[in-house]
Amino acid sequence: MTSALGYALLGLLARRPRTGYQLAQAMRRPIGYFWTASHSQIYPELARLEGDALVRHRVVAGPGPRDTKRYTITAAGKRALTAWATTPAPPEATRDEFLLRLYSLWLADPDDARTLIAVERDRHRAALADYERLGAELAEAGPVHPDTPAFYDRASVRRGAAFEQHVITWCDWLLEELDRSEPTTD
Amino acid sequence: MTSALGYALLGLLARRPRTGYQLAQAMRRPIGYFWTASHSQIYPELARLEGDALVRHRVVAGPGPRDTKRYTITAAGKRALTAWATTPAPPEATRDEFLLRLYSLWLADPDDARTLIAVERDRHRAALADYERLGAELAEAGPVHPDTPAFYDRASVRRGAAFEQHVITWCDWLLEELDRSEPTTD
DNA sequence: ATATACATGTAACAAGTTACATGATTTA
DNA sequence: TAAATCATGTAACTTGTTACATGTATAT
């Protein structure tokens, strides 16, 4: 009944209580995290979670000018989250707009194709740098145990970095392949 | 104005004319392809593409019992598709339900965590086997040029296989990490 | 007899994005 | 004085999924 977004919010609240605004901030950039949502989705979902007694809120004075609702996960919320986390996800369809463009790139001028692939590679280089910075920060704390968030945080950063690395390698390989069969017009 | 789905359909029709039914079949499994859609999305989208004069249809006798609409891409459709294919995609948010579950796995029993990760690994093993089979088929044709679909088909299969391989490696690494810090209760 | 392939559509619903709406405090 | 941060909500729209609807021919 609870959606993936609901479990994403529960996952954040299981680590520490937050306001809707703080949850929205945490879900803007999915670095070290793999889901995003905007505040317009988050506020109604929090109300639904509260209706199901998976979270509770208390009005507190925030750092800003107005009062804010501090949400906490309940024991029932933790149970529901744990049960969901250990259930294999239904197989998802791969949706990758870059690969979709690649599928029709045989129609294009090879120089335009090269530009597209180089832009993609540079994006993944930037993402890799982010993951490496994050990984370095997380590594400082020393060894961690699987019953702490840090254990899986490190694991997902490692996965992200490895993924970016492999895409960069593939982009470079593809650019070389293009040069091999269709040398640049420079 | 045209959606990603529209360009996915144009990409298929640029290779050869097809009926709505055939397009729906092609977009059920995204192997060597990276987008999916069901027929309920495809039929209205074809009507929209036809309204924009990017495709045309002719009623022909199908292999089945009833007449069928055979869609063809127009010159304008090819131009629009080529322009879109060479434009960098707006940065997409990563959405991965497995990683989302991993984010809360520190709450779970380590044996349940192991099971989840092993199931994930086995799925990627199966996907890798599919890519390898597909790659072997595509490799038979010998060298291909970047102005043919086969060039990028091979490239995307190579990317898919490399991705699956890296996820499998990561899953195995993570299972070892779990054993190292929390030996199995067998 | 029953299921699958062929073949095309609509309707209801769920999920996600962008825009609308309001308003105080702090920083540049 | 203009923008950013804090703070919470609603409305309109787009995209995608599941279910409804219909009907023939072939394979098991």
Side-chain angles (χ1 to χ4, degrees):
Chain A
M1 214 181 132
T2 305
S3 64
L5 169 63
Y7 289 113
L9 297 175
L10 289 176
L12 286 164
L13 294 175
R15 290 166 178 233
R16 65 169 176 280
R18 300 175 211 230
T19 66
Y21 185 82
Q22 289 173 328
L23 288 165
Q25 276 186 309
M27 296 199 67
R28 269 193 327 183
R29 297 184 162 275
I31 274 268
Y33 198 56
F34 303 91
W35 210 263
T36 42
S38 56
H39 75 275
S40 63
Q41 240 191 317
I42 290 171
Y43 289 116
E45 184 64 31
L46 280 170
R48 244 168 283 150
L49 292 172
E50 193 152 41
D52 293 341
L54 305 178
V55 302
R56 242 179 298 139
H57 85 265
R58 196 173 296 182
V59 177
V60 295
R66 62 162 75 174
D67 283 352
T68 163
K69 297 182 185 170
R70 188 180 180 73
Y71 284 90
T72 313
I73 192 167
T74 62
K78 240 177 201 175
R79 277 197 304 277
L81 176 60
T82 308
W84 173 82
T86 51
T87 308
E92 288 170 83
T94 323
R95 278 224 167 87
D96 189 319
E97 218 178 296
F98 172 75
L99 266 335
L100 189 60
R101 284 170 207 258
L102 197 84
Y103 188 73
S104 297
L105 216 52
W106 60 278
L107 290 163
D109 179 293
D111 281 341
D112 293 341
R114 257 184 278 266
T115 304
L116 185 87
I117 297 157
V119 167
E120 180 74 4
R121 181 197 52 195
D122 294 344
R123 281 185 189 183
H124 288 285
R125 277 187 184 156
L128 176 61
D130 283 346
Y131 277 122
E132 282 176 344
R133 212 175 11 74
L134 207 70
E137 280 173 39
L138 295 178
E140 281 169 22
V144 285
H145 226 250
D147 58 359
T148 61
F151 181 85
Y152 289 104
D153 285 353
R154 286 183 185 188
S156 50
V157 168
R158 190 188 171 97
R159 191 183 186 291
F163 169 72
E164 300 300 342
Q165 185 57 75
H166 123 254
V167 178
I168 294 163
T169 304
W170 175 83
C171 284
D172 285 333
W173 165 82
L174 183 53
L175 286 169
E176 273 172 45
E177 283 288 302
L178 272 168
D179 277 336
R180 215 165 289 148
S181 39
E182 189 92 42
T184 337
T185 52
D186 291 352
Chain B
M1 216 178 132
T2 305
S3 64
L5 170 63
Y7 289 113
L9 297 175
L10 288 176
L12 286 163
L13 294 176
R15 291 165 177 234
R16 64 169 175 281
R18 300 175 210 230
T19 67
Y21 185 82
Q22 289 172 329
L23 288 165
Q25 276 186 308
M27 297 198 66
R28 270 194 325 184
R29 295 183 164 277
I31 273 265
Y33 197 57
F34 302 91
W35 210 263
T36 42
S38 56
H39 75 275
S40 63
Q41 239 190 319
I42 290 170
Y43 289 116
E45 185 64 31
L46 280 171
R48 245 169 283 149
L49 292 173
E50 193 152 41
D52 294 341
L54 304 178
V55 302
R56 241 178 299 139
H57 84 263
R58 197 171 296 182
V59 176
V60 295
R66 62 162 75 173
D67 282 352
T68 163
K69 297 183 186 171
R70 188 179 181 74
Y71 284 88
T72 314
I73 193 167
T74 63
K78 240 177 201 175
R79 276 196 304 276
L81 176 60
T82 308
W84 174 83
T86 51
T87 307
E92 289 170 82
T94 325
R95 278 225 167 86
D96 189 319
E97 220 179 294
F98 172 75
L99 267 335
L100 189 60
R101 284 169 207 258
L102 198 82
Y103 189 73
S104 296
L105 217 51
W106 59 279
L107 291 163
D109 180 291
D111 281 341
D112 292 341
R114 256 184 278 266
T115 303
L116 185 86
I117 297 156
V119 167
E120 180 75 3
R121 182 197 52 194
D122 293 346
R123 280 185 189 183
H124 288 285
R125 276 187 184 157
L128 176 61
D130 282 346
Y131 276 122
E132 281 176 344
R133 213 175 10 74
L134 206 69
E137 280 173 39
L138 294 178
E140 281 170 21
V144 284
H145 226 251
D147 59 358
T148 60
F151 181 86
Y152 289 103
D153 285 354
R154 286 183 186 188
S156 49
V157 167
R158 191 189 170 96
R159 192 184 185 292
F163 169 73
E164 301 300 342
Q165 184 59 73
H166 123 254
V167 179
I168 294 162
T169 305
W170 175 84
C171 285
D172 284 333
W173 165 82
L174 183 53
L175 286 169
E176 274 172 45
E177 282 289 302
L178 272 168
D179 277 337
R180 216 164 289 150
S181 39
E182 189 93 42
T184 336
T185 52
D186 290 352

